[in-house]
Every structure is written in structure tokens, then in C-alpha cells.
Amino acid sequence: MLRILSQRADIWGEIRLVASPRSAGRKLAVRGEEVEVLALSEEAFDGVDIALFDVPDEIAERWAPVAAARGAVVVDNSGAFRMDPDVPLVVPEVNPHAVHSRPRGIVANPNCTTLSMIVALGALHAAYGLRELVVSSYQAVSGAGRAGVETLRQQMSLVAGTDLGTNPGDVRRAVGENTGPFPEPVALNVVPWAGSLREDGWSSEEMKVRDESRKILGLPKLPVAVTCVRVPVVTTHSLTVHARFQDEVTVDGAREIIATAPGVVLFDNPEAGEFPTPADVVGTDPTWVGRVRRALDDPTALELFVCGDNLRKGAALNATQIAELIAAERR
Ligand SMILES: NC(=O)c1ccc[n+]([C@@H]2O[C@H](COP(=O)([O-])OP(=O)(O)OC[C@H]3O[C@@H](n4cnc5c(N)ncnc54)[C@H](OP(=O)(O)O)[C@@H]3O)[C@@H](O)[C@H]2O)c1
């Protein structure tokens, strides 16, 4: 977040840093200056126009209304308010106007998996009218925070240089019982699970992708089937998307839409071995789209492979773009 604030146009006056009492007094660099961290308190929000919240759900739930009552507009990166009907869920390239109607003084930032595909889908929806989505994710470990990244690094050092992966259970024995925030080893593996258990075997992450996609696109009944999978990638989520539309689609038409949509890059030349992968996409801002094909058995459907940096567009960048939209209201 601080890096992104430092890299984008400097429209801010003062930037105040607030965290728990554990961090109070630490100095962090923002816009080339060292800024001292303040402990969270009601007074910390006095005089603040926009408060970017990047804290656990329960802290956001308690403190976002406090910041709003003190006059700040809150942009919240947690899951606490995303499905609140009085809180807009905003992706500036897709539904920028929603930001202006915020009865609680809070605007929510979508989850990283939805954000990693929704800019491209929003552009295709505007042209063709989305009717159904079938999605599988290949999610990076940083989506589970610092602990996720540490877990993968540790496990990789334990399996490096071995011929593990040929017998049942040998990867698990090598990495031990502690699998960090994941239910299974993530090194040399893929884990079909992200989040917590919801009804009928769905994961919380899968429900977020369905519910948040519907809200952002303004399609409350959109059929969405989604399977979320964790893969041994540090940062950048990938997704395969089967999108069915109201009208017939053409590959050339879809490629044109993707190539010209703001915030989206078309990278699609399999003959030359060109398609997006996390190794190339990490650290960049746009949503990258490749493998654009018309569905084999349905002229109204497209198949896509999409990659997006889950920490930039998937979290901090989108939150910053929302803050910039709010700041622009004053100009
Ligand atoms: N949109 C997305 O794509 C996406 C992706 C992943 C996560 N998230 C969400 O982003 C949020 C932050 O995740 P994270 O992993 O960065 O969380 P985190 O490391 O647990 O905490 C982030 C910040 O919250 C502060 N904090 C924690 N407890 C606090 C307290 N009692 N009082 C005041 N400040 C407190 C921490 O302060 P200290 O530094 O002092 O500890 C830290 O600055 C979560 O809500 C998570 O669900 C969003």
C-alpha cells in the first residue's frame, strides 16, 4: 500500500500511518519520507478525509464506523462490509459510479480472487452481456498473508533437491505436520481449498467470488460456479474462466475488447509461446489475459486464462484507485 501510494500521482497532503500499539513509534517510508506510526485511537482519525483500512475483519468492523463518524470516508480492504447493501463494492474500471453512494461512509474493496479477473470480465460484459461464469482459481500463497509466504518458503527448503513426489505421503512427511495456513502441503502440490468451510462443501473464498462478482457487475442472479485452488506461487493469482454471454461472440471481437479495455493487457500468442504466467505478471498493475478461445460447443461462450497481481490490483492498488476517485469528488 505504501509503495503504491509512493508510486502514483501525489494528490495527498498529509499521509498518517496508524497500526496497533505494537507498531506505534516505528518509522516507515512513504513518498520518500519517514513517517512515524501512530497507535489506533479515535483521535487518530481527526482531520482525516480518507482512511484506507487494511486490517483484520474484526478490527475493521469495530473501527471503520468510528472513522466514518469522525468525518473520514473509509476504504476497507477486509471482508467485513463487502456484502452490506449500504456499502458499495467498487472496481474503478467496472463500476466507478457506485463509489459516490455510500450511506455508511464506507466503501469496500473486493477480495483478491475476484479482483484478479473482474476488470477483463467487466469489459466483456459491457459488450456482450454476461449470462454465466465457470471459474477455477490458481491462487498464490501471499493471498494467505505473510504466514502463507513463509510456509511455502520453508516447505520448499525441505523438499529441495529431493526426488519427493513419487510416493503417497512423502511430501507430507518431508514438510511435517505444520502446514501453516493451508490444510495440506503447498510445495510440490496443489490444494483445492481456500478459506473456511461454508454450507454444502463450498469454501468461503468460493462464495466471495460468486457474491462479489454479482454485486460488482450488478447481476444479482448471475450463475457462478467456482473452485478455488492454492498453488505454489508466491504472488499473482491465475484463473481459468468460462464465460457465457447473451449474444454470440467472436474471438476477434473479444480480443479487440480485451486489448482496448483500461487496466487489461491481451497477451495471447500461443504459437510464439505467449500467454500470461505469474512469473511474468507479478509486480505489474493490469489484468493479463491470454488463451482467448470461443467455447468448442457453444458460440456464446469464451474461454480465458487470466493473471493478476493479488497484492497490487488484488488489494492495495484497487483500494488506492478507490481513494483517488473519492478525492476527485472535491476537485
Ligand atoms: N482485498 C484483498 O485482496 C485481500 C487479500 C488478502 C487479505 N485481505 C484483507 O486485508 C486485511 C489485512 O490483512 P493482513 O494479512 O495484512 O492483516 P494483518 O497482518 O493481520 O494486519 C494488518 C494491519 O492491521 C493492524 N492491526 C491488527 N490488529 C490490530 C489492532 N488490534 N488494532 C490496530 N491495528 C491492528 C496491524 O498492526 P501491526 O502492524 O501493529 O500489527 C497491521 O498494520 C484483512 O482484512 C484481510 O482479510 C484482503
Side-chain angles (χ1 to χ4, degrees), residues 18-24 26 37 39-40 53-60 63 76-80 82 109-113 115 142-146 208 237 310-311 313-316:
V18 181
S20 78
R22 293 182 290 274
S23 305
R26 269 185 73 189
V37 176
L40 179 58
F53 269 58
D54 200 12
V55 297
D57 287 11
E58 61 281 8
I59 306 294
W63 285 92
D76 180 38
N77 195 25
S78 84
R82 289 179 189 144
N109 197 43
N111 83 89
C112 50
T113 314
L115 272 173
S142 59
R146 200 162 280 188
K208 284 179 193 176
H237 289 349
N310 54 299
L311 301 183
K313 184 61 182 174

Short mmCIF file of all heavy atoms in Angstrom, two decimals, residues 18-24 26 37 39-40 53-60 63 76-80 82 109-113 115 142-146 208 237 310-311 313-316, ligand 1:
data_model
loop_
_atom_site.label_atom_id
_atom_site.label_comp_id
_atom_site.label_asym_id
_atom_site.label_seq_id
_atom_site.Cartn_x
_atom_site.Cartn_y
_atom_site.Cartn_z
N VAL A 18 -1.32 4.49 10.77
CA VAL A 18 -1.92 4.03 12.03
C VAL A 18 -1.87 2.51 12.07
O VAL A 18 -2.19 1.85 11.07
CB VAL A 18 -3.40 4.51 12.12
CG1 VAL A 18 -4.03 4.06 13.42
CG2 VAL A 18 -3.49 6.02 11.96
N ALA A 19 -1.48 1.94 13.20
CA ALA A 19 -1.48 0.48 13.35
C ALA A 19 -1.78 0.17 14.81
O ALA A 19 -2.31 1.01 15.54
CB ALA A 19 -0.15 -0.12 12.90
N SER A 20 -1.44 -1.05 15.24
CA SER A 20 -1.71 -1.42 16.63
C SER A 20 -0.64 -0.78 17.52
O SER A 20 0.39 -0.33 17.03
CB SER A 20 -1.66 -2.94 16.77
OG SER A 20 -0.32 -3.35 16.81
N PRO A 21 -0.86 -0.80 18.85
CA PRO A 21 0.17 -0.25 19.76
C PRO A 21 1.52 -0.94 19.58
O PRO A 21 2.56 -0.35 19.86
CB PRO A 21 -0.42 -0.52 21.15
CG PRO A 21 -1.89 -0.66 20.94
CD PRO A 21 -2.07 -1.23 19.57
N ARG A 22 1.51 -2.19 19.05
CA ARG A 22 2.78 -2.90 18.82
C ARG A 22 3.70 -2.11 17.90
O ARG A 22 4.91 -2.18 18.02
CB ARG A 22 2.51 -4.25 18.12
CG ARG A 22 1.79 -5.29 18.90
CD ARG A 22 1.67 -6.57 18.07
NE ARG A 22 0.74 -6.44 16.93
CZ ARG A 22 -0.57 -6.64 16.99
NH1 ARG A 22 -1.11 -7.01 18.13
NH2 ARG A 22 -1.35 -6.49 15.94
N SER A 23 3.10 -1.40 16.95
CA SER A 23 3.92 -0.73 15.93
C SER A 23 4.11 0.76 16.21
O SER A 23 4.84 1.43 15.48
CB SER A 23 3.25 -0.86 14.56
OG SER A 23 3.02 -2.20 14.26
N ALA A 24 3.42 1.29 17.23
CA ALA A 24 3.48 2.74 17.47
C ALA A 24 4.94 3.16 17.66
O ALA A 24 5.71 2.48 18.32
CB ALA A 24 2.65 3.08 18.71
N ARG A 26 7.25 3.19 15.35
CA ARG A 26 8.09 2.74 14.21
C ARG A 26 8.03 3.79 13.12
O ARG A 26 7.06 4.53 12.98
CB ARG A 26 7.51 1.45 13.62
CG ARG A 26 8.08 0.20 14.22
CD ARG A 26 7.54 -1.02 13.49
NE ARG A 26 8.11 -1.18 12.15
CZ ARG A 26 7.67 -2.07 11.25
NH1 ARG A 26 6.65 -2.83 11.53
NH2 ARG A 26 8.26 -2.18 10.08
N VAL A 37 4.57 5.80 12.92
CA VAL A 37 3.28 5.10 13.05
C VAL A 37 2.62 5.49 14.37
O VAL A 37 3.27 5.51 15.42
CB VAL A 37 3.51 3.57 13.01
CG1 VAL A 37 2.18 2.83 13.24
CG2 VAL A 37 4.14 3.15 11.69
N ALA A 39 -0.54 4.79 17.20
CA ALA A 39 -1.42 3.70 17.67
C ALA A 39 -2.86 4.06 17.32
O ALA A 39 -3.26 5.24 17.39
CB ALA A 39 -1.27 3.52 19.18
N LEU A 40 -3.65 3.06 16.95
CA LEU A 40 -5.05 3.27 16.61
C LEU A 40 -5.81 3.87 17.80
O LEU A 40 -5.72 3.37 18.92
CB LEU A 40 -5.68 1.91 16.24
CG LEU A 40 -7.16 1.89 15.89
CD1 LEU A 40 -7.47 2.80 14.71
CD2 LEU A 40 -7.60 0.46 15.58
N PHE A 53 -8.30 1.31 5.18
CA PHE A 53 -8.24 0.27 6.22
C PHE A 53 -7.69 -1.01 5.62
O PHE A 53 -8.25 -1.53 4.64
CB PHE A 53 -9.64 -0.01 6.77
CG PHE A 53 -10.03 0.82 7.95
CD1 PHE A 53 -10.05 2.21 7.87
CD2 PHE A 53 -10.39 0.22 9.15
CE1 PHE A 53 -10.41 2.98 8.97
CE2 PHE A 53 -10.75 0.98 10.25
CZ PHE A 53 -10.77 2.36 10.16
N ASP A 54 -6.64 -1.56 6.22
CA ASP A 54 -6.07 -2.83 5.74
C ASP A 54 -5.76 -3.67 6.97
O ASP A 54 -4.60 -3.94 7.29
CB ASP A 54 -4.80 -2.53 4.93
CG ASP A 54 -4.44 -3.69 4.02
OD1 ASP A 54 -5.27 -4.60 3.86
OD2 ASP A 54 -3.32 -3.68 3.49
N VAL A 55 -6.80 -4.01 7.68
CA VAL A 55 -6.70 -4.65 9.00
C VAL A 55 -7.61 -5.88 9.04
O VAL A 55 -8.47 -6.05 8.18
CB VAL A 55 -7.11 -3.66 10.11
CG1 VAL A 55 -6.17 -2.46 10.15
CG2 VAL A 55 -8.54 -3.18 9.90
N PRO A 56 -7.44 -6.76 10.01
CA PRO A 56 -8.33 -7.92 10.11
C PRO A 56 -9.81 -7.51 10.20
O PRO A 56 -10.13 -6.42 10.69
CB PRO A 56 -7.86 -8.61 11.40
CG PRO A 56 -6.44 -8.18 11.57
CD PRO A 56 -6.37 -6.78 11.03
N ASP A 57 -10.70 -8.43 9.74
CA ASP A 57 -12.14 -8.13 9.65
C ASP A 57 -12.71 -7.52 10.94
O ASP A 57 -13.45 -6.54 10.90
CB ASP A 57 -12.95 -9.42 9.37
CG ASP A 57 -12.77 -9.90 7.95
OD1 ASP A 57 -11.88 -9.39 7.24
OD2 ASP A 57 -13.51 -10.82 7.54
N GLU A 58 -12.34 -8.14 12.09
CA GLU A 58 -12.99 -7.69 13.33
C GLU A 58 -12.54 -6.28 13.73
O GLU A 58 -13.31 -5.53 14.34
CB GLU A 58 -12.77 -8.71 14.47
CG GLU A 58 -11.35 -8.99 14.89
CD GLU A 58 -10.57 -9.95 13.98
OE1 GLU A 58 -11.08 -10.31 12.90
OE2 GLU A 58 -9.44 -10.32 14.36
N ILE A 59 -11.31 -5.91 13.35
CA ILE A 59 -10.83 -4.55 13.65
C ILE A 59 -11.54 -3.56 12.72
O ILE A 59 -11.96 -2.48 13.14
CB ILE A 59 -9.29 -4.45 13.45
CG1 ILE A 59 -8.57 -5.53 14.26
CG2 ILE A 59 -8.77 -3.06 13.81
CD1 ILE A 59 -8.69 -5.38 15.75
N ALA A 60 -11.72 -3.96 11.45
CA ALA A 60 -12.44 -3.09 10.51
C ALA A 60 -13.88 -2.90 10.97
O ALA A 60 -14.41 -1.78 10.97
CB ALA A 60 -12.40 -3.70 9.11
N TRP A 63 -13.76 -0.45 13.91
CA TRP A 63 -13.18 0.87 13.79
C TRP A 63 -13.58 1.66 12.54
O TRP A 63 -13.50 2.90 12.55
CB TRP A 63 -11.65 0.78 13.86
CG TRP A 63 -11.19 0.52 15.27
CD1 TRP A 63 -10.97 -0.69 15.86
CD2 TRP A 63 -10.94 1.51 16.28
NE1 TRP A 63 -10.59 -0.54 17.17
CE2 TRP A 63 -10.56 0.81 17.46
CE3 TRP A 63 -11.00 2.90 16.31
CZ2 TRP A 63 -10.24 1.49 18.64
CZ3 TRP A 63 -10.68 3.57 17.49
CH2 TRP A 63 -10.30 2.85 18.64
N ASP A 76 -12.27 0.11 2.75
CA ASP A 76 -11.93 -1.04 3.59
C ASP A 76 -11.55 -2.25 2.74
O ASP A 76 -12.33 -2.70 1.91
CB ASP A 76 -13.12 -1.38 4.49
CG ASP A 76 -12.81 -2.57 5.37
OD1 ASP A 76 -11.65 -2.66 5.84
OD2 ASP A 76 -13.69 -3.42 5.57
N ASN A 77 -10.38 -2.80 3.02
CA ASN A 77 -9.85 -3.95 2.28
C ASN A 77 -10.28 -5.29 2.91
O ASN A 77 -9.99 -6.34 2.36
CB ASN A 77 -8.32 -3.84 2.25
CG ASN A 77 -7.70 -4.76 1.23
OD1 ASN A 77 -8.32 -5.14 0.25
ND2 ASN A 77 -6.45 -5.13 1.46
N SER A 78 -10.95 -5.24 4.03
CA SER A 78 -11.32 -6.51 4.69
C SER A 78 -12.65 -7.03 4.12
O SER A 78 -13.28 -6.39 3.28
CB SER A 78 -11.47 -6.30 6.20
OG SER A 78 -12.76 -5.80 6.49
N GLY A 79 -13.07 -8.18 4.61
CA GLY A 79 -14.34 -8.75 4.17
C GLY A 79 -15.52 -8.28 5.00
O GLY A 79 -16.65 -8.71 4.77
N ALA A 80 -15.31 -7.36 5.95
CA ALA A 80 -16.35 -7.04 6.93
C ALA A 80 -17.60 -6.41 6.32
O ALA A 80 -18.71 -6.65 6.79
CB ALA A 80 -15.77 -6.11 8.00
N ARG A 82 -18.24 -6.00 2.68
CA ARG A 82 -18.40 -6.11 1.22
C ARG A 82 -19.83 -6.39 0.77
O ARG A 82 -20.26 -5.90 -0.27
CB ARG A 82 -17.47 -7.21 0.67
CG ARG A 82 -16.00 -6.82 0.71
CD ARG A 82 -15.16 -7.95 0.19
NE ARG A 82 -13.75 -7.71 0.42
CZ ARG A 82 -12.87 -8.67 0.72
NH1 ARG A 82 -13.26 -9.92 0.81
NH2 ARG A 82 -11.61 -8.36 0.91
N ASN A 109 -13.44 -2.78 -0.70
CA ASN A 109 -12.55 -3.25 -1.75
C ASN A 109 -12.79 -4.76 -1.91
O ASN A 109 -12.79 -5.48 -0.91
CB ASN A 109 -11.10 -3.00 -1.28
CG ASN A 109 -10.10 -3.06 -2.39
OD1 ASN A 109 -10.33 -2.53 -3.47
ND2 ASN A 109 -8.98 -3.71 -2.13
N PRO A 110 -12.99 -5.25 -3.12
CA PRO A 110 -13.29 -6.69 -3.29
C PRO A 110 -12.12 -7.59 -2.89
O PRO A 110 -10.99 -7.13 -2.72
CB PRO A 110 -13.56 -6.81 -4.78
CG PRO A 110 -13.88 -5.43 -5.24
CD PRO A 110 -13.10 -4.50 -4.37
N ASN A 111 -12.41 -8.89 -2.80
CA ASN A 111 -11.33 -9.84 -2.48
C ASN A 111 -10.43 -10.05 -3.69
O ASN A 111 -10.79 -9.75 -4.84
CB ASN A 111 -11.93 -11.17 -1.98
CG ASN A 111 -12.32 -12.06 -3.12
OD1 ASN A 111 -11.54 -12.86 -3.63
ND2 ASN A 111 -13.55 -11.89 -3.57
N CYS A 112 -9.23 -10.56 -3.40
CA CYS A 112 -8.18 -10.58 -4.42
C CYS A 112 -8.51 -11.52 -5.59
O CYS A 112 -8.12 -11.25 -6.73
CB CYS A 112 -6.85 -10.96 -3.79
SG CYS A 112 -6.92 -12.44 -2.77
N THR A 113 -9.22 -12.60 -5.36
CA THR A 113 -9.51 -13.55 -6.44
C THR A 113 -10.48 -12.93 -7.44
O THR A 113 -10.28 -12.99 -8.66
CB THR A 113 -10.06 -14.86 -5.85
OG1 THR A 113 -9.24 -15.23 -4.74
CG2 THR A 113 -10.05 -15.98 -6.86
N LEU A 115 -10.96 -9.71 -7.82
CA LEU A 115 -10.30 -8.57 -8.47
C LEU A 115 -9.34 -9.01 -9.57
O LEU A 115 -9.10 -8.26 -10.51
CB LEU A 115 -9.51 -7.77 -7.42
CG LEU A 115 -10.29 -6.68 -6.71
CD1 LEU A 115 -9.45 -6.08 -5.59
CD2 LEU A 115 -10.73 -5.58 -7.67
N SER A 142 0.58 -15.78 -1.09
CA SER A 142 0.54 -14.49 -0.39
C SER A 142 -0.90 -14.04 -0.15
O SER A 142 -1.13 -13.14 0.67
CB SER A 142 1.32 -13.41 -1.14
OG SER A 142 0.80 -13.25 -2.44
N GLY A 143 -1.88 -14.66 -0.82
CA GLY A 143 -3.28 -14.39 -0.50
C GLY A 143 -3.61 -14.80 0.93
O GLY A 143 -4.59 -14.33 1.50
N ALA A 144 -2.79 -15.67 1.51
CA ALA A 144 -2.99 -16.06 2.90
C ALA A 144 -2.03 -15.29 3.82
O ALA A 144 -1.74 -15.73 4.94
CB ALA A 144 -2.79 -17.56 3.06
N GLY A 145 -1.54 -14.13 3.34
CA GLY A 145 -0.72 -13.26 4.18
C GLY A 145 0.72 -13.74 4.29
O GLY A 145 1.15 -14.67 3.62
N ARG A 146 1.43 -13.06 5.20
CA ARG A 146 2.84 -13.35 5.39
C ARG A 146 3.06 -14.81 5.78
O ARG A 146 4.01 -15.45 5.35
CB ARG A 146 3.35 -12.44 6.50
CG ARG A 146 4.82 -12.27 6.50
CD ARG A 146 5.22 -11.06 7.29
NE ARG A 146 5.05 -9.84 6.50
CZ ARG A 146 5.47 -8.64 6.88
NH1 ARG A 146 6.03 -8.48 8.04
NH2 ARG A 146 5.30 -7.60 6.10
N LYS A 208 -17.22 -15.90 -1.82
CA LYS A 208 -16.86 -14.49 -2.06
C LYS A 208 -16.80 -14.21 -3.56
O LYS A 208 -17.29 -13.17 -4.02
CB LYS A 208 -15.49 -14.18 -1.46
CG LYS A 208 -15.49 -14.02 0.05
CD LYS A 208 -14.07 -13.73 0.51
CE LYS A 208 -13.93 -13.86 2.01
NZ LYS A 208 -12.54 -13.69 2.46
N HIS A 237 -2.41 -14.24 -8.63
CA HIS A 237 -3.45 -15.25 -8.82
C HIS A 237 -3.70 -15.46 -10.32
O HIS A 237 -3.65 -14.50 -11.10
CB HIS A 237 -4.77 -14.79 -8.19
CG HIS A 237 -4.78 -14.76 -6.69
ND1 HIS A 237 -3.80 -15.33 -5.91
CD2 HIS A 237 -5.70 -14.25 -5.83
CE1 HIS A 237 -4.11 -15.16 -4.63
NE2 HIS A 237 -5.24 -14.51 -4.56
N ASN A 310 -2.11 -10.29 -6.97
CA ASN A 310 -3.13 -10.25 -5.92
C ASN A 310 -2.83 -9.24 -4.84
O ASN A 310 -3.71 -8.89 -4.06
CB ASN A 310 -3.31 -11.64 -5.29
CG ASN A 310 -2.01 -12.23 -4.79
OD1 ASN A 310 -1.09 -12.45 -5.57
ND2 ASN A 310 -1.92 -12.48 -3.49
N LEU A 311 -1.60 -8.75 -4.77
CA LEU A 311 -1.30 -7.73 -3.75
C LEU A 311 -1.43 -6.31 -4.31
O LEU A 311 -1.68 -5.37 -3.56
CB LEU A 311 0.12 -7.93 -3.20
CG LEU A 311 0.39 -9.29 -2.55
CD1 LEU A 311 1.79 -9.36 -1.99
CD2 LEU A 311 -0.64 -9.61 -1.47
N LYS A 313 -3.28 -5.01 -7.91
CA LYS A 313 -4.69 -4.81 -8.27
C LYS A 313 -5.61 -5.60 -7.33
O LYS A 313 -6.70 -5.16 -7.00
CB LYS A 313 -4.94 -5.24 -9.72
CG LYS A 313 -6.36 -4.97 -10.20
CD LYS A 313 -6.71 -3.48 -10.15
CE LYS A 313 -8.16 -3.24 -10.58
NZ LYS A 313 -8.54 -1.82 -10.39
N GLY A 314 -5.11 -6.76 -6.85
CA GLY A 314 -5.95 -7.60 -5.99
C GLY A 314 -6.15 -7.04 -4.59
O GLY A 314 -6.91 -7.61 -3.80
N ALA A 315 -5.51 -5.96 -4.24
CA ALA A 315 -5.69 -5.42 -2.89
C ALA A 315 -5.34 -3.93 -2.86
O ALA A 315 -6.20 -3.08 -3.01
CB ALA A 315 -4.84 -6.21 -1.88
N ALA A 316 -4.03 -3.62 -2.72
CA ALA A 316 -3.64 -2.24 -2.42
C ALA A 316 -3.90 -1.27 -3.57
O ALA A 316 -4.31 -0.13 -3.35
CB ALA A 316 -2.16 -2.20 -2.04
N1 LIG B 1 -8.58 -7.48 -0.85
C1 LIG B 1 -7.79 -8.49 -0.81
O1 LIG B 1 -7.46 -8.97 -1.80
C2 LIG B 1 -7.23 -9.07 0.41
C3 LIG B 1 -6.29 -10.08 0.32
C4 LIG B 1 -5.77 -10.57 1.48
C5 LIG B 1 -6.19 -10.04 2.69
N2 LIG B 1 -7.13 -9.07 2.70
C6 LIG B 1 -7.59 -8.46 3.91
O2 LIG B 1 -6.68 -7.41 4.24
C7 LIG B 1 -6.72 -7.20 5.62
C8 LIG B 1 -5.30 -7.13 6.15
O3 LIG B 1 -4.66 -8.41 6.03
P1 LIG B 1 -3.25 -8.67 6.63
O4 LIG B 1 -2.91 -10.09 6.40
O5 LIG B 1 -2.31 -7.59 6.17
O6 LIG B 1 -3.57 -8.45 8.17
P2 LIG B 1 -2.59 -8.33 9.43
O7 LIG B 1 -1.19 -8.51 9.00
O8 LIG B 1 -3.14 -9.21 10.47
O9 LIG B 1 -2.83 -6.84 9.92
C9 LIG B 1 -2.67 -5.70 9.11
C10 LIG B 1 -2.66 -4.45 9.97
O10 LIG B 1 -3.69 -4.49 10.95
C11 LIG B 1 -3.17 -3.94 12.15
N3 LIG B 1 -3.86 -4.43 13.32
C12 LIG B 1 -4.05 -5.73 13.67
N4 LIG B 1 -4.68 -5.78 14.85
C13 LIG B 1 -4.89 -4.51 15.24
C14 LIG B 1 -5.47 -3.92 16.38
N5 LIG B 1 -5.98 -4.65 17.37
N6 LIG B 1 -5.50 -2.57 16.47
C15 LIG B 1 -4.97 -1.82 15.50
N7 LIG B 1 -4.40 -2.31 14.38
C16 LIG B 1 -4.36 -3.64 14.27
C17 LIG B 1 -1.74 -4.41 12.15
O11 LIG B 1 -0.97 -3.60 13.02
P3 LIG B 1 0.51 -4.07 13.46
O12 LIG B 1 1.35 -3.87 12.23
O13 LIG B 1 0.83 -3.14 14.54
O14 LIG B 1 0.41 -5.48 13.88
C18 LIG B 1 -1.35 -4.25 10.69
O15 LIG B 1 -0.90 -2.94 10.43
C19 LIG B 1 -7.54 -8.36 6.21
O16 LIG B 1 -8.84 -7.90 6.45
C20 LIG B 1 -7.56 -9.37 5.10
O17 LIG B 1 -8.73 -10.17 5.12
C21 LIG B 1 -7.62 -8.56 1.59
#
